[in-house]
Amino acid sequence: MNKKFNLPYFLLFVGLLVSCNSVEIFVENKEVPFQKTYTRFVLVNKELGILGFKDQLLDQKVQLALEAQLVDAGLVYDAKQPDLVIRYYSNEDLRQRERVNTMNPYSFWGMRMYDPWSFNPMMGNLRSPVTRTNYELLQVILDVIDPAQDKYLMTITGVTEVTSSKSKSRIALKALEKTTDTFIQVNLTQKN
């Protein structure tokens, strides 16, 4: 069977593999349990002009996306008498990952033909090259507060890695979506 190599489908497949970033969700800081289904909310960042992200454009995108997600889930934005206060912020931590290349460039020389991974005493102590990759550990954090009791209902953290500044906005919005979905599911399972 003679199949032709289809470059556009191959590039699409590779693009999908590269774009898959996992987001881990952590729920913590529960001072009081949910006692009802909350219907009205306010975003503290929007009302007080607090930036939750270092980049102002990204912060605006996150704010609009968060409000839209909550409204789509059936909650109503009410700055005067909310029964739920939500604050969002981020932790953007630059990091570096090191990887040692263990491939020996002289693997089949001389007596090393049968064991290419062992140390060759004739070549001296060759160091394996180390490659360093920069990335950013991004945490999108939502604080959900009950204003009547002035206590935390929960803090939800979405943790992911960003390897390119071009994809940071997309990855941050994906992490926000997963954290907001976690809150919405908890809120909808409560009985009035």
Side-chain angles (χ1 to χ4, degrees), residues 68-91:
Q69 266 189 285
L70 293 171
V71 168
D72 288 346
L75 280 80
V76 177
Y77 192 89
D78 184 3
K80 301 289 183 197
Q81 291 184 327
D83 57 358
L84 190 66
V85 174
I86 298 177
R87 175 180 58 203
Y88 69 89
Y89 56 99
S90 69
N91 184 7

Side-chain angles (χ1 to χ4, degrees), residues 85-158:
V85 174
I86 298 177
R87 175 180 58 203
Y88 69 89
Y89 56 99
S90 69
N91 184 7
E92 303 165 50
D93 188 18
L94 294 174
R95 296 190 175 189
Q96 193 174 61
R97 181 179 295 123
E98 292 183 354
R99 188 177 71 102
V100 177
N101 186 2
T102 57
M103 182 86 168
N104 188 345
Y106 308 107
S107 60
F108 295 111
W109 284 39
M111 296 172 39
R112 296 184 21 88
M113 183 165 70
Y114 300 107
D115 188 13
W117 300 106
S118 67
F119 174 73
N120 185 350
M122 292 182 282
M123 296 301 291
N125 189 8
L126 292 176
R127 296 216 180 251
S128 298
V130 176
T131 57
R132 290 181 176 83
T133 307
N134 294 325
Y135 70 98
E136 184 175 5
L137 185 68
L138 177 67
Q139 297 177 347
V140 177
I141 305 163
L142 292 181
D143 285 336
V144 182
I145 304 164
D146 184 345
Q149 300 179 45
D150 196 24
K151 296 200 180 210
Y152 285 95
L153 291 167
M154 64 175 29
T155 297
I156 310 166
T157 307

